[in-house]
Amino acid sequence: MWGEAVRIEGLELISFRNYTRLALSLPGSLHLFLGGNGQGKTNLLEAIYLVATGRSMRAGRDEEMIRWGAPQAEVRLEAESLRGRYELQVVLTPRGKRAYVNGNWVRRLGELLEYLSAVLFVPDDLHLVKGGPEARRRYLDGQLVQALPAYREALAKFQRILRQRNRLLDRIGQGEGSAGSLEVWDAAFVEEASRVIHRRALAVEALSPLAAEAHQRVAGSKELSLRYRPYFLEETEDEAPTSLDVIRERVEASLREARPLELRRGTSLVGPQRDDLEMTLDGRSARRFASQGEQRTVVLACKIAELELMASYLGEYPVLLLDDVLSELDPVRQAAFVEVAMGRTQTLVTSTEATSLPAGLREQGRSYRVRAGQIQPEEEALRDGSVGG
Amino acid sequence: MVLPGPLARLVEELSRLPGIGPKTAQRLAFHIVEQPQERVTALANALVEAREQIRTCSVCCNLTDVDPCRLCSDPQRDDALLCVVEGPRDVMALERTREYRGRYHVLRGAISPLDGIGPGELRIRELLDRLQSGEVREVILATDPDPEGEATAMYLSRLLKPLGVKVTRMARGMPVGGSVEYMDEVTLAKAMEGRREIT
């Protein structure tokens, strides 16, 4: 049933991607955006993701989000959550982006993460199980930076220290610095690396039962289990330590051990940038043994668990953005996902064809036709006779 | 439209300044050429004079027009306390408190391999020279609480502690006059972490 959930009430785009101007109000909990490829469906979700996180989910330069020939782009969004009503705004110019909350400029884009929480599910996520570990780290980081401000701080610091340390190792390798100068970075490296690992390990502990439960509901068989594997874990070790002190000791020891090799290679060889999230089905590695169908079920379960974990951290359900993924699933999985996710959150779905969406979904929500940067409610589109093609 | 040569040169010079993009540079340039001659001369003179007369204090390495600078030559200040900061603007900020009565040392930067700044690029030799006399009893490390500032503080504390001088680091936590309700989450989390027992 409808519990506490973040709700987007209105969205306004100016010169954003292929939208010249768009004003959309979004009453209700389910919205379906239908249209062909290249019409602007993903751009719409991108705009929401941008004001939620301060960045696009797409690779590429920010400037590309500005409509061709326009001096700047603007996204404005009104929402209501436990924080009350607020308006978020991002202005993109060729020289950078600026964010505003309720009309006030915010110094750091990261502050946007305090407001609209969102879970995004895109076709790329379907590679979560078989893909490289960086996709699984991104999966964890995506939820933690939104839910835990202290994690966001630790991760940003860690990444900065890692870059500094890598540059220093590189310089030392070229004979431009002493190995002793590494030490001033090492203490901070150990500290922030340990915090990142600690938070991720705790999050996975909470995530695993949620994912197992969701998997049970979608698949009906096989037990899904998630385990965080810090880089320092031995093959023979099953569980990652969850005590910050123990993690700190392990990181410190590994750093000491890796020092000679790091100096030779000229880059950092230890740290949470090498961690992984292990997924098992009935105790067997999903990455190695899961079938195509099983992988998809695991991804679904992970996405539902993400939604639940964020809701438990934040006290309310985030907005759910589904970009063309429902059509990738068979009707059974579609139905299971819809049943679990919908009704708790405000959900925005894009799809190329209405017929590939679960039966009943269209009756529950509002449908819109997206064409060449214009969005029209389906009833109007039908009336205007502009459907087809 | 092609800008007349002198105007184009002005735009180019202005756009080299930090934080000034081509558009702002143009706006400033057009503004400048429409000012009365004496205003522009005053501006030009101010630029040249500032560059000519401002130099580095031979004691604290702050920017100054007299050497040693006023803070270093002020007899009222406590020679036993030395506060180490990254830049001249940090000195100004701390001076505004009117609480700190010790001396300063300005590093003129922070360690940052990404920017090619190592300890050798900072005014650290000058700092060590100042500690020779033994008058300084406490060195307060007031570099920024970001990774570069922390690394610099770490470097200095390792360098200075063996000299027998007391080395302290500025605390961080709740800003005074703020209320918990309106504090940003990161500051709050850090303040929570650095909590102390009330004595």
Side-chain angles (χ1 to χ4, degrees):
Chain A
M1 266 340 290
W2 187 276
E4 295 285 356
V6 183
R7 270 199 250 199
I8 301 172
E9 306 201 319
L11 181 69
E12 208 183 320
L13 308 181
I14 301 168
S15 302
F16 184 85
R17 297 271 186 195
N18 68 336
Y19 292 91
T20 311
R21 216 181 171 98
L22 172 80
L24 195 64
S25 69
L26 294 165
S29 59
L30 179 60
H31 301 270
L32 309 169
F33 298 92
L34 309 167
N37 287 321
Q39 301 303 308
K41 300 189 304 298
T42 302
N43 298 346
L44 187 72
L45 299 190
E46 181 184 35
I48 295 171
Y49 194 77
L50 175 68
V51 289
T53 65
R55 46 190 291 194
S56 167
M57 69 278 197
R58 286 167 160 160
R61 292 175 303 125
D62 284 341
E63 218 181 309
E64 292 164 10
M65 286 185 272
I66 304 171
R67 188 185 153 82
W68 181 250
Q72 63 173 48
E74 203 179 316
V75 178
R76 201 191 284 263
L77 177 147
E78 246 180 80
E80 180 157 13
S81 75
L82 287 177
R83 293 192 76 119
R85 289 179 69 91
Y86 50 82
E87 187 200 77
L88 306 176
Q89 185 190 0
V90 170
V91 177
L92 297 147
T93 72
R95 271 174 296 136
K97 46 191 169 182
R98 281 166 88 84
Y100 303 81
V101 175
N102 295 326
N104 299 314
W105 175 52
V106 291
R107 194 172 297 276
R108 298 196 306 181
L109 277 166
E111 285 178 43
L112 282 176
L113 289 161
E114 292 304 319
Y115 294 86
L116 183 76
S117 53
V119 169
L120 177 72
F121 192 0
V122 299
D124 262 357
D125 290 326
L126 295 170
H127 306 302
L128 189 65
V129 180
K130 287 268 172 174
E134 68 278 1
R136 290 183 286 278
R137 288 192 299 267
R138 223 180 306 121
Y139 162 72
L140 289 178
D141 287 345
Q143 26 191 321
L144 292 179
V145 296
Q146 289 196 64
L148 302 172
Y151 181 77
R152 186 187 323 147
E153 170 87 356
L155 184 65
K157 258 187 156 177
F158 171 73
Q159 284 165 343
R160 178 87 190 160
I161 294 165
L162 180 65
R163 288 180 58 213
Q164 291 281 20
R165 197 171 179 276
N166 282 342
R167 176 59 66 88
L168 187 57
L169 278 163
D170 183 46
R171 279 172 183 267
I172 293 169
Q174 290 167 23
E176 288 176 37
S178 71
S181 52
L182 262 182
E183 279 172 29
V184 303
W185 294 101
D186 284 356
F189 181 92
V190 169
E191 190 55 35
E192 303 305 331
S194 305
R195 278 167 197 278
V196 168
I197 294 170
H198 179 235
R199 290 286 184 176
R200 285 187 188 158
L202 288 181
V204 173
E205 258 195 356
L207 207 54
S208 186
L210 296 172
E213 196 195 321
H215 187 265
Q216 197 54 242
R217 258 185 290 173
V218 180
S221 70
K222 290 208 177 172
E223 196 179 318
L224 172 65
S225 170
L226 305 183
R227 257 179 298 192
Y228 192 61
R229 290 200 71 88
Y231 71 95
F232 56 68
L233 219 58
E234 307 284 346
E235 281 293 322
T236 50
E237 283 179 287
D238 265 354
E239 302 284 334
T242 47
S243 137
L244 184 56
D245 288 334
V246 174
I247 293 172
R248 216 184 263 125
E249 279 166 28
R250 300 280 302 255
V251 174
E252 216 168 354
S254 74
L255 196 64
R256 261 199 312 274
E257 204 178 310
R259 169 66 54 84
L261 196 57
E262 286 191 329
L263 284 168
R264 266 208 305 284
R265 297 264 182 88
T267 190
S268 299
L269 298 173
V270 299
Q273 76 281 11
R274 307 189 57 146
D275 290 355
D276 200 355
L277 172 66
E278 181 188 58
M279 303 166 171
T280 56
L281 284 174
D282 281 347
R284 281 159 61 90
S285 162
R287 188 171 59 78
R288 280 156 61 196
F289 301 112
S291 70
Q292 184 89 356
E294 283 175 335
Q295 287 174 45
R296 294 193 165 209
T297 314
V298 169
V299 174
L300 276 187
C302 286
K303 278 292 161 183
I304 294 168
E306 175 180 358
L307 201 64
E308 295 289 344
L309 185 71
M310 279 178 65
S312 79
Y313 279 142
L314 297 167
E316 62 188 339
Y317 279 93
V319 167
L320 180 59
L321 308 173
L322 303 179
D323 189 25
D324 227 349
V325 279
L326 285 182
S327 51
E328 300 270 338
L329 306 170
D330 60 58
V332 178
R333 290 193 179 86
Q334 275 185 350
F337 186 65
V338 167
E339 187 202 315
V340 174
M342 317 277 171
R344 303 184 196 204
T345 70
Q346 188 186 38
T347 307
L348 276 63
V349 180
T350 73
S351 183
T352 43
E353 23 179 353
T355 49
S356 66
L357 291 176
L361 201 60
R362 298 187 73 186
E363 287 86 80
Q364 288 174 46
R366 284 160 200 264
S367 300
Y368 307 80
R369 184 59 50 184
V370 183
R371 177 181 282 184
Q374 307 260 0
I375 295 184
Q376 244 185 333
E378 186 100 290
E379 316 86 79
E380 285 175 33
L382 282 168
R383 201 164 53 237
D384 296 353
S386 58
V387 185
Chain B
M1 173 189 121
V2 178
L3 284 182
L7 199 49
R9 276 200 299 283
L10 181 55
V11 170
E12 198 194 316
E13 288 301 331
L14 288 170
S15 60
R16 288 173 199 233
L17 296 171
I20 308 248
K23 281 228 176 93
T24 309
Q26 257 187 35
R27 205 168 64 234
L28 289 174
F30 278 109
H31 175 81
I32 288 168
V33 296
E34 295 206 49
Q35 294 296 298
Q37 180 69 45
E38 59 271 23
R39 296 277 337 124
V40 179
T41 307
L43 173 65
N45 288 342
L47 284 172
V48 173
E49 277 167 26
R51 180 63 190 89
E52 275 173 3
Q53 292 171 18
I54 295 298
R55 59 209 129 131
T56 297
C57 172
S58 58
V59 181
C60 72
C61 303
N62 200 355
L63 296 175
T64 179
D65 57 339
V66 288
D67 189 17
C69 75
R70 289 172 182 83
L71 284 166
C72 287
S73 53
D74 183 349
Q76 307 281 329
R77 304 198 67 118
D78 186 353
D79 285 315
L81 276 179
L82 186 59
C83 179
V84 179
V85 296
E86 290 181 19
R89 278 175 300 176
D90 301 326
V91 174
M92 284 168 60
L94 283 160
E95 277 304 283
R96 279 198 298 271
T97 67
R98 289 189 295 277
E99 283 298 323
Y100 177 69
R101 300 303 298 161
R103 307 277 184 196
Y104 291 96
H105 190 82
V106 185
L107 295 169
R108 306 285 285 272
I111 296 175
S112 174
L114 287 169
D115 301 306
I117 301 175
E121 274 69 40
L122 304 176
R123 308 295 175 119
I124 292 174
R125 182 174 302 279
E126 290 88 340
L127 174 63
L128 292 174
D129 286 346
R130 293 179 77 178
L131 298 177
Q132 292 288 325
S133 71
E135 252 181 314
V136 177
R137 285 199 315 277
E138 179 178 347
V139 174
I140 305 162
L141 301 176
T143 50
D144 289 345
D146 57 18
E148 293 75 22
E150 297 287 4
T152 308
M154 176 70 73
Y155 179 83
L156 289 175
S157 83
R158 289 186 175 203
L159 197 64
L160 303 183
K161 273 193 181 144
L163 305 179
V165 66
K166 181 176 172 189
V167 181
T168 55
R169 178 89 173 106
M170 262 207 316
R172 60 170 153 179
M174 304 271 297
V176 176
S179 68
V180 173
E181 181 186 358
Y182 295 113
M183 208 70 54
D184 78 87
E185 288 74 1
V186 172
T187 306
L188 261 184
K190 285 285 167 201
M192 205 53 156
E193 229 177 73
R195 67 185 181 274
R196 282 178 319 193
E197 194 174 347
I198 295 183
T199 47

